[in-house]
Amino acid sequence: QGIAEQYFRWISNIILHGDFGRSFAWNKPVSALLWERVPLTIIISLITTIFIYAVSIPIGIYTATHKYSFFDYFWTFIGFIGLSVPGFLLALLIIWWTYSILGISISGLFSQEYIAEPWSIGKVFDMLKRIWFPIIIIGMSGTAGLIRVMRGNLLDELQKQYVTTARAKGVPEKTVLYRYPVRIAVNPIVSTVGWVLPSVVGGEVLVSIVLNLPTTGPVLLKAVMFQDMYLAGSITLILSLLTVIGTLIADILLVWIDPRIRFSGLEK
């Protein structure tokens, strides 16, 4: 059969029967492998995305309003470290430091006594205690990049005439900052949700291998190495779906944050 017909049959089986095909490397249904890995991957990705935005936006605002201060230089330095150091190398350094200095092993999402155990409240709390290390490591690069973007956007907005006019009229500084420039400067940040979600999932492959995380990253790497097309294609399909969902969330947030988008839609 042709490639188009093969693809149509594969997608039809997924939509109608939930059948993603059979993995060549693991010799088991792809859906079973995904069910083991995807939930934890989604949890880590969502928390990492929230972490990236919750940290980068406030720091970007602070560094822009305190330009050339000590903390501006400090976060600029941290930002360059986050952008330049690969996540897997950062993971290796943190694993070595915590084990050699503190005597703590941070690899894996669960302690030894919970790895083979079924899900329980104790296992959930154990995961929540250990999940912050991979979240910080995976989110380091995205956080560093968005801090620089937020800082640059806000600095541009603060130099515009409407900000000077608002200050001249005696509008309080916090109102001037958060009512106008921040809402405009955050637009490019919010619009990146569409690619942050899949990039978090795709970018954690090596970090997951180093930290021994039970996510789709190591599975995707092995699937590509063994040319396991059903498994690799299914994970790629999930990444594409995350891109669509992220883009939809970004559009909704942009309409909510920026009134100009709502007004332009009404005019059309």
Side-chain angles (χ1 to χ4, degrees):
Q1 296 172 342
I3 295 177
E5 187 175 352
Q6 292 181 47
Y7 180 79
F8 178 77
R9 290 188 61 182
W10 178 61
I11 290 294
S12 300
N13 287 331
I14 293 174
I15 297 174
L16 299 177
H17 308 290
D19 181 13
F20 289 84
R22 192 170 187 86
S23 170
F24 303 146
W26 275 268
N27 194 26
K28 59 190 303 187
V30 172
S31 56
L33 289 169
L34 295 179
W35 181 249
E36 295 172 359
R37 303 273 179 160
V38 168
L40 288 175
T41 303
I42 292 176
I43 291 172
I44 293 176
S45 300
L46 289 178
I47 298 178
T48 302
T49 303
I50 294 172
F51 168 80
I52 289 173
Y53 287 96
V55 172
S56 61
I57 292 177
I59 293 177
I61 293 173
Y62 183 87
T63 54
T65 54
H66 297 76
K67 186 171 61 171
Y68 304 138
S69 65
F70 168 78
F71 285 104
D72 184 20
Y73 287 118
F74 172 78
W75 287 114
T76 299
F77 174 76
I78 295 296
F80 287 143
I81 294 295
L83 288 172
S84 58
V85 178
F88 72 91
L89 178 58
L90 186 63
L92 286 171
L93 292 174
I94 293 178
I95 288 175
W96 170 80
W97 184 80
T98 54
Y99 188 77
S100 60
I101 305 298
L102 304 177
I104 301 173
S105 175
I106 64 170
S107 61
L109 279 182
F110 306 102
S111 303
Q112 289 295 328
E113 61 269 22
Y114 284 107
I115 292 177
E117 294 294 320
W119 282 99
S120 62
I121 297 177
K123 187 171 184 176
V124 171
F125 279 108
D126 182 67
M127 183 187 71
L128 292 177
K129 287 191 301 184
R130 302 173 66 90
I131 199 173
W132 300 106
F133 295 105
I135 285 173
I136 293 173
I137 294 170
I138 295 171
M140 187 70 176
S141 176
T143 302
L146 290 187
I147 287 174
R148 306 305 302 162
V149 173
M150 185 66 195
R151 181 183 183 275
N153 291 340
L154 188 55
L155 283 176
D156 289 339
E157 291 298 321
L158 290 175
Q159 297 174 2
K160 291 186 177 179
Q161 187 63 40
Y162 73 90
V163 177
T164 305
T165 304
R167 286 172 175 166
K169 290 183 176 181
V171 178
E173 186 63 25
K174 286 187 177 179
T175 304
V176 172
L177 179 65
Y178 291 102
R179 187 175 179 83
Y180 301 108
V182 168
R183 294 178 68 180
I184 296 175
V186 82
N187 281 1
I189 305 294
V190 173
S191 64
T192 59
V193 175
W195 57 262
V196 165
L197 273 175
S199 67
V200 167
V201 178
E204 51 87 37
V205 175
L206 294 179
V207 175
S208 296
I209 294 173
V210 172
L211 292 178
N212 192 26
L213 301 180
T215 60
T216 57
V219 175
L220 176 60
L221 179 61
K222 187 174 180 180
V224 173
M225 291 175 62
F226 284 88
Q227 298 183 8
D228 194 344
M229 62 179 184
Y230 288 120
L231 182 55
S234 299
I235 296 176
T236 305
L237 180 66
I238 293 173
L239 294 179
S240 304
L241 182 62
L242 287 176
T243 304
V244 175
I245 293 173
T247 303
L248 176 61
I249 294 173
D251 290 342
I252 294 173
L253 290 175
L254 286 173
V255 171
W256 176 60
I257 292 173
D258 195 343
R260 297 175 301 176
I261 298 176
R262 296 197 298 269
F263 295 149
S264 63
L266 291 174
E267 290 175 0
K268 291 180 181 179

